[in-house]
């Protein structure tokens, strides 16, 4: 037993644009809905009972025959089903029941752009009963604040307050108007346990869907990268990391394909150019069908020991160790309190578990030398555990704490134990 679980990414909202002949054998697809990738599955029309059974059985197949520990459902916001019992609820129930029969545990996790807490509410409370969902609001808020980007969907995230809201309340958009979507978006989810939310500062979509595939390592300073790492791994949620993130991989992760149909290849090229034009990105878009586009995306792990990368890797190593050793950092086990001062550029996060040490994290977003005042209810009772500006992490070691005021250099974070 290695202690590792395997989560499989499964796609039940569409099939590939090439080599997809399933529709020749039954009513698997419908023209009532369209996805971003073409035809939608027929989950609620004539003949849909058998289609649903086919897809649910596929999920059970991975759990049963391959001992997969969980399924990550791709883009459930483009799974269209108006049935009284939604396909997602049917699938989650079937997977959980099968895992119980096998004396195991299996998870169903949704990638969702809906900010809809119904996905993870228990069935008896009117939800679909999934185990967790991705929360893109955290990524968007952190990315927009640290990079200053305000194009596309980043236009909806306007400052440090949104980062604080994401830390405290799961979603930033809980029913208010979204300028990017030009409508109201989301619903409140603050009462749902924190361990039901998966967050990231980078993932394959958020990098690969950029015109040039830039990672945070080429968009941010080292101090900012360390601040982003602390935001991710000291948050009350379940962290997701992308390959190479832990040492600041600098190679891009570009969108690449291996299609054979010339018309399809040209359609993908055209679609990428149009998408980026609408997003406001300029410059040449790498050809997704060019083998060099794939080769440029390969990580270079040799740089993990280089200056500017070794310190970041050491920080990730220590933060991950703290997540295992500190009960307050186990998602869902601590009460969460967030305070912030947008003008001063800091956020404080207080994690209070029932029967373990309390933790306080100060995130300082000021890129200049700054004195951040921590709102301590009991000054002098906190002990420093970790500071991202420590020399171990290739920082300047510029840190001071007198029991009431924390002095930090540039962007950074500090963790205290009560």
């Amino acid at each position: 037993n290695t202690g590792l679980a395997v989560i499989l990414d499964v796609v039940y909202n569409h099939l590939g644009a090439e080599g997809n002949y399933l529709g020749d054998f039954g009513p698997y697809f419908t023209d009532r809905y369209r996805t971003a990738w073409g035809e939608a599955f027929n989950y609620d029309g004539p003949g849909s009972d058998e289609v649903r059974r086919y897809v649910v059985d596929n999920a059970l197949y991975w759990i049963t025959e391959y001992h997969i520990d969980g399924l990550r459902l791709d883009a459930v916001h483009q799974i269209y089903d108006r049935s009284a019992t939604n396909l997602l609820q049917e699938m989650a129930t079937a997977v959980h029941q099968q895992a119980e029969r096998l004396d195991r545990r299996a998870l169903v996790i949704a990638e969702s752009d809906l900010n809809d807490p119904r996905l993870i509410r228990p069935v008896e409370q009117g939800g679909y009963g999934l185990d967790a969902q991705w929360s893109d609001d955290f990524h968007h808020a952190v990315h927009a604040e640290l990079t200053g980007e305000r194009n596309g969907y980043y236009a909806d995230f306007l400052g440090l307050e949104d980062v604080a809201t994401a830390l405290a309340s799961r979603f930033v958009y809980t029913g208010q108007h979204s300028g990017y979507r030009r409508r109201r978006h989301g619903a409140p989810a603050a009462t749902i346990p924190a361990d039901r939310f998966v967050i990231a500062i980078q993932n394959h979509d958020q990098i690969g869907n950029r015109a040039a595939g830039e990672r945070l390592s080429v968009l941010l300073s080292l101090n900012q990268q360390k601040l982003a790492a602390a935001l991710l791994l000291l948050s009350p949620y379940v962290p997701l990391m992308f390959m190479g993130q832990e040492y600041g991989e600098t190679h891009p992760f570009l969108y690449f394909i291996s299609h054979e149909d010339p018309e399809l290849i040209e359609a993908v090229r055209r679609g990428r150019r149009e998408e980026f034009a609408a997003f406001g990105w300029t410059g040449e878009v790498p050809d997704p069908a060019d083998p060099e586009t794939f080769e440029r995306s390969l990580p270079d792990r040799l740089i993990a020991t280089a200056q500017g990368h070794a310190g970041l890797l050491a920080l990730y190593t220590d933060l991950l160790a703290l997540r295992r050793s500190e009960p307050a950092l186990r998602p869902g086990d601590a009460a969460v309190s967030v305070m912030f001062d947008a003008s001063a550029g800091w956020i404080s996060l207080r994690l209070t578990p029932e029967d373990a040490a309390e933790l306080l994290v100060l995130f300082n977003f000021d890129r200049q030398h700054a004195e951040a005042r921590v709102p301590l209810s009991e000054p002098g009772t906190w002990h420093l555990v970790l500071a991202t500006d420590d020399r171990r992490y290739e920082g300047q070691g510029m840190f001071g704490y007198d029991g009431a005021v924390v002095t930090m250099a540039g962007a950074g974070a500090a963790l205290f134990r009560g």
Side-chain angles (χ1 to χ4, degrees):
N1 183 0
T2 63
L4 293 175
V6 176
I7 309 295
L8 182 67
D9 185 359
V10 290
V11 183
Y12 296 134
N13 51 50
H14 74 288
L15 291 185
E18 190 171 58
N20 174 14
Y21 302 106
L22 195 59
D24 295 343
F25 300 96
Y28 287 93
F29 302 100
T30 178
D31 59 5
R32 295 189 308 281
Y33 313 111
R34 293 287 295 179
T35 77
W37 310 279
E39 290 183 308
F41 270 104
N42 171 28
Y43 288 134
D44 60 4
S48 60
D49 288 350
E50 290 75 14
V51 177
R52 294 166 70 99
R53 186 71 260 165
Y54 174 80
V55 171
V56 171
D57 281 350
N58 179 265
L60 297 179
Y61 174 76
W62 293 114
I63 300 298
T64 306
E65 301 298 331
Y66 287 87
H67 295 220
I68 293 295
D69 299 291
L71 302 174
R72 179 265 195 187
L73 309 184
D74 181 72
V76 300
H77 46 273
Q78 295 210 15
I79 289 178
Y80 300 108
D81 179 17
R82 299 180 65 182
S83 306
T85 299
N86 188 276
L87 173 78
L88 299 175
Q89 176 185 333
E90 182 179 341
M91 181 178 295
T93 299
V95 167
H96 293 154
Q97 290 176 345
Q98 179 68 350
E100 186 176 352
R101 283 191 289 268
L102 297 171
D103 195 26
R104 289 169 38 211
R105 186 185 181 200
L107 304 176
V108 183
I109 304 166
E111 181 206 13
S112 173
D113 187 36
L114 300 173
N115 282 21
D116 186 352
R118 287 179 299 179
L119 293 173
I120 47 180
R121 281 206 180 100
V123 173
E124 55 271 22
Q125 296 179 16
Y128 296 164
L130 277 67
D131 297 286
Q133 67 170 296
W134 286 25
S135 178
D136 280 348
D137 279 11
F138 179 90
H139 170 274
H140 298 345
V142 171
H143 185 99
E145 175 64 19
L146 291 179
T147 66
E149 292 181 5
R150 294 293 186 271
N151 50 358
Y153 44 71
Y154 295 130
D156 274 346
F157 298 86
L158 302 177
L160 184 141
E161 181 177 356
D162 287 339
V163 180
T165 300
L167 284 169
S169 305
R170 295 25 169 178
F171 299 141
V172 175
Y173 280 84
T174 59
Q176 65 269 48
H177 185 267
S178 157
Y180 171 71
R181 292 177 171 82
R182 295 185 295 175
R183 59 171 174 80
R184 288 177 292 178
H185 177 60
T191 60
I192 296 178
D195 61 355
R196 302 304 178 95
F197 297 87
V198 179
I199 61 168
I201 54 173
Q202 300 185 89
N203 63 44
H204 69 290
D205 278 331
Q206 301 301 338
I207 304 173
N209 286 334
R210 297 177 64 88
E214 309 102 318
R215 296 168 178 262
L216 287 182
S217 56
V218 300
L219 298 174
L220 303 179
S221 68
L222 177 59
N223 277 358
Q224 288 178 304
Q225 290 179 70
K226 292 189 291 184
L227 171 58
L231 283 162
L232 175 70
L233 293 177
L234 297 177
S235 80
Y237 307 119
V238 179
L240 174 75
M241 291 168 51
F242 187 63
M243 61 178 183
Q245 173 182 316
E246 71 280 8
Y247 60 84
E249 175 62 58
T250 56
H251 283 189
F253 184 73
L254 298 163
Y255 184 90
F256 50 83
I257 59 174
S258 59
H259 300 320
E260 297 180 359
D261 182 350
E263 292 185 5
L264 176 60
I265 292 172
E266 185 53 38
V268 173
R269 288 173 177 148
R270 184 173 59 253
R272 299 290 287 177
R273 289 193 295 267
E274 292 173 353
E275 177 184 351
F276 295 131
F279 217 88
W281 279 319
T282 58
E284 183 178 350
V285 178
D287 182 357
D290 188 341
E292 184 182 352
T293 301
F294 165 74
E295 291 164 5
R296 289 175 57 198
S297 302
L298 296 174
D300 178 13
R301 293 185 174 85
L302 294 178
I303 68 170
T305 57
Q307 184 176 3
H309 299 275
L312 185 62
L313 179 59
L315 176 63
Y316 270 96
T317 301
D318 289 352
L319 289 173
L320 288 169
L322 283 169
R323 286 192 72 88
R324 292 180 64 88
S325 64
E326 292 287 347
L329 290 174
R330 294 170 192 159
D333 283 0
V336 177
S337 175
V338 175
M339 300 181 69
F340 69 95
D341 186 329
S343 60
W346 59 258
I347 297 173
S348 72
L349 167 67
R350 194 164 182 166
L351 301 170
T352 308
E354 286 189 7
D355 300 310
E358 188 175 27
L359 297 181
L360 176 72
V361 193
L362 175 65
F363 303 105
N364 181 21
F365 289 77
D366 193 332
R367 300 185 189 186
Q368 305 300 318
H369 296 278
E371 186 175 77
R373 295 188 174 277
V374 186
L376 299 179
S377 59
E378 298 177 62
T381 64
W382 298 96
H383 306 281
L384 179 67
V385 176
L386 177 149
T388 60
D389 194 50
D390 192 285
R391 296 188 187 279
R392 167 172 165 75
Y393 311 127
E394 298 188 57
Q396 299 300 310
M398 190 176 295
F399 181 86
Y401 172 54
D402 64 6
V405 175
V406 176
T407 305
M408 304 173 69
L415 172 66
F416 301 86
R417 184 187 294 114

